[in-house]
Amino acid sequence: LATATAWNCEDTKEPFMWFMNGINTYSPDYKQMLSVSGPIFENDKDGAIKRFTNAILREADINIADYSVKSRDLAQQPPALVLKEYMITTLHIIFNEAGWEQYPLNLREESSGTANLFFFAPLIKRAFDTGETLCIDEFDVSMHPLLVQYLIRLFNNPDANRANAQLVVSTHTSGLMNLEDLRRDQIYFVEKDQQTACSTLYSLDEFSPRKQEDIQKAYLLGRYGSIPNLGSGDDLWQ
């Protein structure tokens, strides 16, 4: 697709651009996420990103009332290249002996889970606007299982996800394995062969579980594979 499009083939231009712009991949690394989300926060001219971010933080029971974003240019070589450093301050409203008070906090001082959710918010908003496919590695890092479940449900909620955006994540949160929130064809496993070191990807749908089956329990019992073969600890000192 890339080669044909580079040679001005009109038939491949549209699908190539979909792969270029319609699929975006991230991992919850603070520095990377700041470089991605920082410009989105800063260029929020109509305040739509701020309203969405504050709303998702509120729904997630995170005590952040508002935030501010500042940036400064970092001169780079060559001189024509200019990068920015973003400084994000969250605002907490706390009740104490003096009554209600506001406390600013640098985002770096927030918990990792709060920072991840904060960075995910504008990406989710953009996906809901454009219908893109959002791929996030280790999606559940430092986040409460109920919060992870809430974010997954947003993408299956047609009132929230009006443009039919897709979310593809890797996760170790086995609590997501239920057929109330996800269909059988939305849950995949990765099984690694210890001899060849090759990984196999397969769907829960291949096992045809019943609608009322406890998927998480069956998985932890090894019915679907993709679980570690753990020892007892008895041989640690042998």
Side-chain angles (χ1 to χ4, degrees):
L1 287 176
T3 301
T5 303
W7 290 350
N8 298 318
C9 176
E10 289 297 325
D11 291 338
T12 62
K13 183 176 180 180
E14 186 174 348
F16 172 73
M17 293 307 297
W18 184 86
F19 278 105
M20 284 290 294
N21 302 319
I23 301 178
N24 290 295
T25 304
Y26 308 98
S27 61
D29 173 77
Y30 188 97
K31 187 175 182 180
Q32 182 207 17
M33 295 298 288
L34 181 61
S35 67
V36 171
S37 296
I40 302 177
F41 284 125
E42 185 180 39
N43 296 319
D44 181 24
K45 303 303 181 183
D46 61 357
I49 296 294
K50 172 168 282 196
R51 290 191 296 273
F52 183 87
T53 300
N54 286 339
I56 206 170
L57 291 170
R58 184 171 60 251
E59 288 208 351
D61 198 26
I62 305 294
N63 182 20
I64 294 179
D66 205 352
Y67 64 89
S68 61
V69 180
K70 295 182 180 179
S71 67
R72 65 184 183 94
D73 293 342
L74 299 175
Q76 298 289 315
Q77 296 295 332
L81 178 64
V82 177
L83 298 179
K84 284 191 174 185
E85 178 184 58
Y86 294 94
M87 293 153 285
I88 299 178
T89 303
T90 58
L91 180 65
H92 296 257
I93 300 179
I94 306 297
F95 185 80
N96 57 26
E97 296 84 358
W100 293 100
E101 292 193 43
Q102 297 183 356
Y103 287 89
L105 197 64
N106 190 296
L107 184 62
R108 290 187 177 274
E109 298 178 285
E110 299 281 1
S111 70
S112 297
T114 296
N116 287 343
L117 178 61
F118 188 85
F119 287 138
F120 287 158
L123 305 181
I124 293 173
K125 171 67 166 57
R126 187 175 65 187
F128 286 172
D129 288 339
T130 65
E132 69 184 55
T133 297
L134 192 60
C135 303
I136 303 177
D137 187 29
E138 300 290 350
F139 180 65
D140 54 344
V141 169
S142 302
M143 289 200 291
H144 193 281
L146 291 179
L147 177 54
V148 176
Q149 189 177 53
Y150 161 76
L151 294 174
I152 295 291
R153 286 174 175 171
L154 284 182
F155 278 80
N156 278 335
N157 182 351
D159 291 329
N161 186 8
R162 299 174 183 176
N164 297 317
Q166 279 191 301
L167 178 66
V168 180
V169 303
S170 66
T171 178
H172 295 286
T173 303
S174 61
L176 292 175
M177 295 182 186
N178 69 82
L179 298 182
E180 294 181 1
D181 293 327
L182 296 171
R183 302 188 311 267
R184 296 183 304 185
D185 62 305
Q186 289 180 308
I187 300 174
Y188 280 75
F189 305 101
V190 178
E191 177 80 52
K192 183 177 181 179
D193 188 307
Q194 293 298 337
Q195 294 183 333
T196 65
C198 293
S199 296
T200 302
L201 180 72
Y202 52 94
S203 171
L204 172 65
D205 198 36
E206 297 179 24
F207 297 88
S208 300
R210 300 183 307 276
K211 180 67 177 179
Q212 65 273 19
E213 186 167 336
D214 189 332
I215 303 300
Q216 180 184 20
K217 181 179 179 180
Y219 166 72
L220 294 176
L221 289 174
R223 190 173 300 173
Y224 309 126
S226 186
I227 60 173
N229 184 18
L230 303 175
S232 63
D234 296 340
D235 298 329
L236 288 178
W237 300 106
Q238 294 185 8

